[in-house]
Amino acid sequence: MSKNIFIVDDHPMIRQGLRKMIEEKTEHKFVGEADNGVQALKLIEELKPDIIVADISMPEMNGFELIRTLKKKQFVLEFIMLTMYKEEEYFNKAMELDVKGYILKESTGAEFLKCLHEVSHGDYYVSPELSGYLLKKTHAANTFLNQKPSLKLLTQMELKVLKLISENKTSKEIGEQLHISYRTVQNHRSNICEKLQLEGYNKLLQFAIENKQLL
């Protein structure tokens, strides 16, 4: 299925190379490009792409800030991060933002095309050099579940609320993001506390923040 692709990178040659690959070697449609996040925001609102390929390090607004802003505006998009950063810190930030693809700029064109194919079909793709981080994260999450089995009692909506609590969002902000009322959020918080045997909202916030990487 053809997708509309938008590229954000402050290096013209990289944008040109990606555009050429998309146009010549895929069924997807290249719809636009920008060299920074601020410029990208305006164009994305106008062009409404399906997939954003973005660098992390950019002037004015970096890739992470761009994704957070688009999520707040409730755009339905998938993201691929194309970056030079191999550090686990950056990888974890991308995973927290539910980035579907994370590949290194040193990767081959074939790897980019494979990543684009996987993401366009709703799957995840991570550069092989970084797959160890993903395995480590999965192992940590499984260990966490074994240590706190009551997490399995939470509903999907309660898990979403808990994840947003870990981002230090207020009940009002959570309600707006999930399109539910303030009272409903408060009820979810109470249910989470009861299921996880946490006494008080401060304990819930503390638990969520301490385990943010694993939620």
Side-chain angles (χ1 to χ4, degrees):
M1 182 178 175
S2 177
K3 301 285 186 179
N4 292 331
I5 315 296
F6 188 93
I7 298 170
V8 194
D9 195 295
D10 57 336
H11 295 92
M13 290 186 67
I14 289 178
R15 296 199 307 272
Q16 182 181 350
L18 294 176
R19 176 177 184 171
K20 187 175 181 180
M21 277 192 285
I22 292 166
E23 291 179 335
E24 295 181 359
K25 298 183 181 296
T26 79
E27 61 182 354
H28 306 303
K29 183 180 179 183
F30 174 85
V31 294
E33 62 184 76
D35 61 11
N36 66 72
V38 173
Q39 182 187 36
L41 271 178
K42 298 174 184 176
L43 291 172
I44 289 167
E45 290 189 22
E46 175 187 340
L47 298 171
K48 296 180 173 54
D50 302 302
I51 298 174
I52 309 295
V53 180
D55 191 3
I56 291 178
S57 179
M58 295 184 293
E60 297 189 58
M61 178 186 287
N62 67 42
F64 291 140
E65 292 168 340
L66 172 63
I67 293 173
R68 289 191 190 98
T69 303
L70 288 168
K71 283 181 176 290
K72 283 181 181 178
K73 290 176 176 286
Q74 299 177 1
F75 279 85
V76 181
L77 297 163
E78 301 297 357
F79 301 96
I80 294 174
M81 303 237 76
L82 183 65
T83 178
M84 67 179 69
Y85 294 115
K86 297 181 181 180
E87 291 83 357
E88 189 172 358
E89 170 193 355
Y90 291 97
F91 177 78
N92 285 337
K93 281 184 180 179
M95 294 301 101
E96 287 172 17
L97 290 169
D98 195 31
V99 167
K100 284 290 197 297
Y102 192 95
I103 60 174
L104 300 174
K105 283 193 172 180
E106 63 191 47
S107 301
T108 63
E111 188 175 329
F112 169 74
L113 293 173
K114 185 176 181 181
C115 176
L116 185 57
H117 174 80
E118 295 297 324
V119 172
S120 68
H121 285 79
D123 295 320
Y124 289 84
Y125 185 88
V126 175
S127 282
E129 297 95 321
L130 303 172
S131 59
Y133 293 159
L134 198 55
L135 290 172
K136 181 178 176 182
K137 193 174 181 69
T138 301
H139 175 72
N142 289 336
T143 301
F144 178 53
L145 269 176
N146 289 333
Q147 293 173 344
K148 198 73 175 176
S150 53
L151 276 168
K152 296 177 183 177
L153 300 174
L154 301 184
T155 66
Q156 285 301 310
M157 182 58 77
E158 286 166 354
L159 285 169
K160 287 180 182 179
V161 170
L162 183 58
K163 175 69 175 174
L164 292 172
I165 292 171
S166 77
E167 296 171 11
N168 211 14
K169 292 187 182 295
T170 65
S171 291
K172 183 175 181 294
E173 290 171 332
I174 293 171
E176 289 173 353
Q177 186 162 335
L178 298 179
H179 306 293
I180 56 179
S181 70
Y182 174 86
R183 172 177 275 183
T184 300
V185 176
Q186 293 296 88
N187 287 338
H188 283 312
R189 295 181 76 128
S190 295
N191 291 336
I192 295 168
C193 284
E194 183 177 348
K195 290 178 181 179
L196 300 185
Q197 299 180 329
L198 299 169
E199 296 183 6
Y201 285 179
N202 287 338
K203 284 291 184 182
L204 175 58
L205 178 61
Q206 182 183 348
F207 173 83
I209 291 176
E210 286 177 354
N211 298 289
K212 180 179 180 180
Q213 300 279 354
L214 302 171
L215 294 173

